[in-house]
Amino acid sequence: TAVDIENREGCNTTAAGIADLIAKAGDHVRDLPIRKVITSFAGLRAHEDHHEFIIGEVEDAPHFIDCAGIESPGLTSSPAIGEYVGAMMKEKMGLTEKENWIGTRKGIRSTEGLSVEERNEMIKENPAYGQIICRCESISEGEILDAIHRPLGARSLDGVKRRTRAGMGRCQAGFCSPRVMEILHRELGLSYEEITKSGGRSNLVIDRTKDASANAKEVE
């Protein structure tokens, strides 16, 4: 659901908003288990007053395609929008499809759904699949390593989470964050201060406790 707001940076959730969401969801799902909700969040999106899709090339930015005003139908219409924009760019730029184009990519190996025998064979092949890092989602070290070392691999905690679900469980990464950080530190050669939650300035560690304490005393 969505409401119009004037604040262009307002991503906060409210008790009233959550209550309204629960009431509306209850119209479709009986006895919704609200107590099992782990977290709540909100986001922002551009709103078009006439409720129309805005899809087209920006006048002063050649080959830059606007896909705005999509709102709720975007989930079901996105495949068609992608094909439409692809055809548009093909015509504008004279593009041709590569004959050897591979339109799919190899997924991350997962232990989910495997039999005991299959899982044991996987662990025998690579013991890292036997080391569970995220207890809530049963994500192994092997899966996280795969997420990091694949093409366009994960470089942050959220990068690992989106590829493997590590950190999406009940504890919301309270248990596995330090362990995932250790793996990122080891595999990518990043210092703990360089590791971020989601890139940019979302650093989780700014200093070592003893160093920070010493620096604070020097300032005093």
Side-chain angles (χ1 to χ4, degrees):
T1 185
V3 294
D4 291 341
I5 62 173
E6 295 297 328
N7 183 0
R8 296 185 179 183
E9 297 182 357
C11 291
N12 56 303
T13 59
T14 64
I18 292 174
D20 182 54
L21 188 63
I22 292 171
K24 290 179 178 177
D27 292 337
H28 304 281
V29 181
R30 185 179 298 175
D31 299 324
L32 195 66
I34 301 302
R35 291 177 63 86
K36 292 187 177 181
V37 173
I38 297 173
T39 187
S40 61
F41 56 90
L44 291 173
R45 65 186 180 196
H47 174 65
E48 204 280 322
D49 290 338
H50 302 289
H51 302 285
E52 296 289 346
F53 289 7
I54 300 174
I55 303 174
E57 188 174 27
V58 179
E59 291 183 2
D60 57 351
H63 301 158
F64 187 96
I65 307 299
D66 258 338
C67 295
I70 308 300
E71 301 189 13
S72 296
L75 186 62
T76 51
S77 60
S78 56
I81 292 173
E83 290 184 1
Y84 177 76
V85 172
M88 183 189 303
M89 295 306 297
K90 180 179 180 180
E91 181 180 348
K92 286 181 175 294
M93 301 180 68
L95 303 176
T96 57
E97 187 172 345
K98 293 174 61 177
E99 293 183 2
N100 61 344
W101 165 249
I102 301 174
T104 59
R105 60 180 177 178
K106 183 180 178 181
I108 294 173
R109 294 185 69 184
S110 173
T111 58
E112 185 179 5
L114 297 181
S115 66
V116 174
E117 292 76 15
E118 290 172 326
R119 185 170 300 200
N120 287 340
E121 188 63 31
M122 197 172 180
I123 294 171
K124 183 178 179 181
E125 180 185 328
N126 184 349
Y129 287 102
Q131 298 292 329
I132 299 300
I133 302 300
C134 174
R135 293 180 179 179
C136 298
E137 297 294 319
S138 298
I139 305 302
S140 69
E141 182 178 0
E143 292 162 81
I144 294 173
L145 291 174
D146 192 358
I148 292 172
H149 292 298
R150 65 195 288 105
L152 301 177
R155 296 293 181 271
S156 65
L157 288 184
D158 279 2
V160 170
K161 179 171 70 174
R162 294 190 182 104
R163 290 167 174 81
T164 67
R165 293 189 60 81
M168 285 192 177
R170 191 72 189 173
C171 82
Q172 285 292 278
F175 172 80
C176 64
S177 283
R179 303 190 70 186
V180 174
M181 290 179 70
E182 288 176 4
I183 296 172
L184 288 167
H185 164 69
R186 183 188 73 211
E187 298 298 317
L188 299 178
L190 297 172
S191 69
Y192 287 103
E193 292 83 357
E194 291 175 307
I195 296 172
T196 64
K197 182 180 185 298
S198 56
R201 299 176 62 185
S202 61
N203 306 77
L204 293 118
V205 177
I206 59 171
D207 209 340
R208 294 182 179 274
T209 304
K210 291 183 178 180
D211 294 341
S213 177
N215 292 336
K217 289 181 179 179
E218 290 179 5
V219 172
E220 292 176 359

